[in-house]
Amino acid sequence: MKKHPVFSTLLLGAVIVFSGISVAYYNTKSLAVDENAVLFSRDDEGISVLDFKIYYKDVERFYEDTQPYLPQKAYSTAPYIVGGKEAVTYIMYY
C-alpha cells in the first residue's frame, strides 16, 4: 500500500466533482428552452468549456505577458549534471 495516496485521492475527487458538474450543466441546459447544451467545443476563435469561452488570442497575450518570468532553462536535481559541455569538462578535469 502506498504511504501517501494524496495525489491519487485528490485526482479522483476532482474527476468525480467535474463529472457531477458536467451532468448537472447538461441536464439544466437541455431542459431549458433558450439554447442547446454544449459541454466542449472548439472553433477557430477558441475553446468552449461548459459556458466559458477561452479565446486563443487571450491565451497568447497571457503567455507573452508571463514569458519574461518563466525560466528559460530547466535544471534537474537528478544525480547527473545538466548544463553545457563546458561545465561538465570544467568539473571533470579541474
Side-chain angles (χ1 to χ4, degrees), residues 18-30 35-42 47-53:
F18 185 74
S19 299
I21 290 172
S22 299
V23 168
Y25 167 80
Y26 185 79
N27 286 338
T28 303
K29 285 295 184 177
S30 63
E35 63 182 274
N36 292 332
V38 178
L39 295 177
F40 301 102
S41 70
R42 186 176 141 239
I47 300 170
S48 294
V49 178
L50 301 179
D51 268 341
F52 298 103
K53 182 78 173 178

Side-chain angles (χ1 to χ4, degrees), residues 3-65:
K3 286 184 175 180
H4 304 286
V6 174
F7 178 73
S8 58
T9 304
L10 290 176
L11 182 63
L12 179 64
V15 167
I16 291 171
V17 168
F18 185 74
S19 299
I21 290 172
S22 299
V23 168
Y25 167 80
Y26 185 79
N27 286 338
T28 303
K29 285 295 184 177
S30 63
L31 294 176
V33 191
D34 55 348
E35 63 182 274
N36 292 332
V38 178
L39 295 177
F40 301 102
S41 70
R42 186 176 141 239
D43 57 5
D44 292 338
E45 295 178 356
I47 300 170
S48 294
V49 178
L50 301 179
D51 268 341
F52 298 103
K53 182 78 173 178
I54 302 169
Y55 294 101
Y56 295 133
K57 62 182 177 181
D58 293 338
V59 173
E60 184 177 342
R61 189 181 73 214
F62 176 76
Y63 178 76
E64 289 173 357
D65 291 345

